[in-house]
Amino acid sequence: MKIDKIINNNLVRAFDNKDKEVLVMGCGLGYQKKPGEPIDEKKIEKIYKIENKNISDKLMTLLSDIPLDHIQASNEIISYAKYSLGKKLNDNIYITLTDHISFAIERLKQNLGFHNALLWETKRFYNHEFLIGMEALKIIKKRLGVELPEDEAGFIALHIVNAELNSTNMDETLYVTKLIQNILSIVKYHYKIDLDEYSLNYERFITHLKFFAQRMISGEEIESDDENFCEMIKKQYKDTYECTEKIAAYVSKEFKHKLTEEEMMYLTVHIRRITKQT
């Protein structure tokens, strides 16, 4: 690859063998170099191949202003998250997480800590991502010698969840978290019980609610061809279905979304399980 544009001493723009624009990062990669010169492959640490031009431009602007060691730490965390989760993350995470980590470090230096109001919910609903966040704190301490508080593990986890949702908008992640929290509250108040948060059925319900929220965000719906089965669920689990109707009313009022019969049926079955009625 040849240098197309020098962003700074550690970042250059180039084009790969498919003539796609890429950002290439490495310590001293652009130092005393000129456009048209070949890139020293031994110095390459990371190649950002981002299809979305808007995201690529934002990333180029961000990386030109952030210390190299902050970028390196963020890249390691993102790579670890992808490996741990076994899934692709939205490219926007290279912008949002890198920016957040760098800002968090600067805030710590100025003794300006942020309290994470969603830390408890993050631990409960996104435990895997939270554990990745805790590992991220270890990576930051090892690489940068900076010890960030547990609150930051929660913030990092939400950035990862946001990337899993394939979203560029953190508000959507907060939306999902609020939805899950309030649906669980409806179930608890309806039955006047505490739910076993360590049970397999509880974990299954949380997973279902996450996918349900994602479908709401994307506008997808699931419909059932088996009307008889839906009617049977209504009649056989009448009290549970009443709880589901309360959830449907809440979702309609707060999110302007009408639940399908299929979704009502699935919620009813899950609620039946987590309330230990089966």
Side-chain angles (χ1 to χ4, degrees):
M1 283 188 294
K2 292 183 179 180
I3 297 172
D4 177 66
K5 181 180 180 180
I6 297 169
I7 312 304
N8 58 32
N9 286 341
N10 307 308
L11 184 70
V12 301
R13 186 178 70 189
F15 290 89
D16 63 15
N17 55 9
K18 294 182 180 179
D19 204 32
K20 296 284 188 180
E21 181 182 306
V22 295
L23 297 177
V24 187
M25 188 199 79
C27 187
L29 203 63
Y31 181 65
Q32 292 186 338
K33 295 290 185 179
K34 296 179 181 178
E37 291 185 355
I39 294 174
D40 186 348
E41 294 186 4
K42 293 179 182 178
K43 291 184 177 180
I44 295 175
E45 295 181 30
K46 173 70 179 175
I47 298 176
Y48 298 92
K49 297 181 179 180
I50 297 176
E51 298 292 333
N52 187 302
K53 184 70 167 70
N54 185 41
I55 293 178
S56 181
D57 288 344
K58 287 181 180 178
L59 181 63
M60 186 166 60
T61 301
L62 177 74
L63 297 184
S64 66
D65 294 332
I66 287 182
L68 177 63
D69 53 357
H70 292 191
I71 298 169
Q72 291 169 328
S74 181
N75 286 339
E76 184 176 343
I77 291 165
I78 294 168
S79 294
Y80 176 78
K82 287 180 177 179
Y83 172 78
S84 182
L85 293 166
K87 62 176 68 172
K88 180 177 171 60
L89 301 177
N90 187 294
D91 285 334
N92 201 55
I93 194 172
Y94 286 106
I95 298 173
T96 59
L97 186 59
T98 305
D99 188 42
H100 176 85
I101 288 172
S102 188
F103 185 47
I105 292 168
E106 292 305 315
R107 280 193 282 103
L108 188 68
K109 290 178 181 177
Q110 299 171 33
N111 294 316
L112 297 173
F114 279 4
H115 173 64
N116 188 344
L118 290 174
L119 184 61
W120 184 66
E121 287 84 354
T122 303
K123 287 181 180 180
R124 291 174 65 209
F125 305 150
Y126 309 114
N127 186 252
H128 190 165
E129 291 83 356
F130 177 75
L131 292 176
I132 293 172
M134 291 299 292
E135 184 63 29
L137 298 191
K138 294 179 184 177
I139 291 171
I140 291 168
K141 184 178 180 181
K142 181 180 178 181
R143 273 188 171 270
L144 308 175
V146 176
E147 192 165 356
L148 293 174
E150 187 183 54
D151 289 69
E152 288 299 332
F155 286 130
I156 291 169
L158 288 178
H159 279 287
I160 293 168
V161 171
N162 199 48
E164 285 183 272
L165 291 172
N166 200 31
S167 171
T168 59
N169 186 354
M170 180 59 78
D171 287 344
E172 291 183 355
T173 300
L174 301 179
Y175 160 105
V176 171
T177 306
K178 177 184 176 183
L179 177 72
I180 294 172
Q181 177 66 51
N182 288 342
I183 287 177
L184 287 171
S185 294
I186 290 170
V187 175
K188 289 178 184 178
Y189 283 119
H190 181 80
Y191 287 101
K192 296 180 176 56
I193 59 170
D194 289 323
L195 301 175
D196 182 0
E197 297 176 7
Y198 298 98
S199 70
L200 180 58
N201 284 332
Y202 182 88
E203 186 176 331
R204 286 169 176 163
F205 188 44
I206 295 298
T207 300
H208 175 77
L209 292 179
K210 288 179 187 177
F211 285 115
F212 164 55
Q214 288 178 45
R215 287 195 296 273
M216 283 178 58
I217 291 169
S218 64
E220 295 178 14
E221 290 187 349
I222 51 174
E223 294 285 356
S224 174
D225 294 328
D226 194 344
E227 293 183 8
N228 291 332
F229 185 62
C230 289
E231 287 299 318
M232 184 269 288
I233 291 292
K234 285 184 190 180
K235 292 177 181 178
Q236 189 168 344
Y237 305 135
K238 187 177 178 181
D239 183 55
T240 311
Y241 194 78
E242 286 177 3
C243 180
T244 303
E245 287 180 317
K246 290 181 180 179
I247 293 170
Y250 157 72
V251 170
S252 177
K253 180 181 178 182
E254 294 294 323
F255 301 101
K256 312 303 178 190
H257 179 85
K258 187 179 187 310
L259 269 64
T260 64
E261 284 294 321
E262 179 83 350
E263 193 61 67
M264 296 279 284
M265 180 186 71
Y266 277 121
L267 282 171
T268 301
V269 171
H270 276 292
I271 293 168
R272 186 86 183 169
R273 285 174 176 169
I274 62 169
T275 53
K276 299 180 179 179
Q277 298 177 73
T278 55

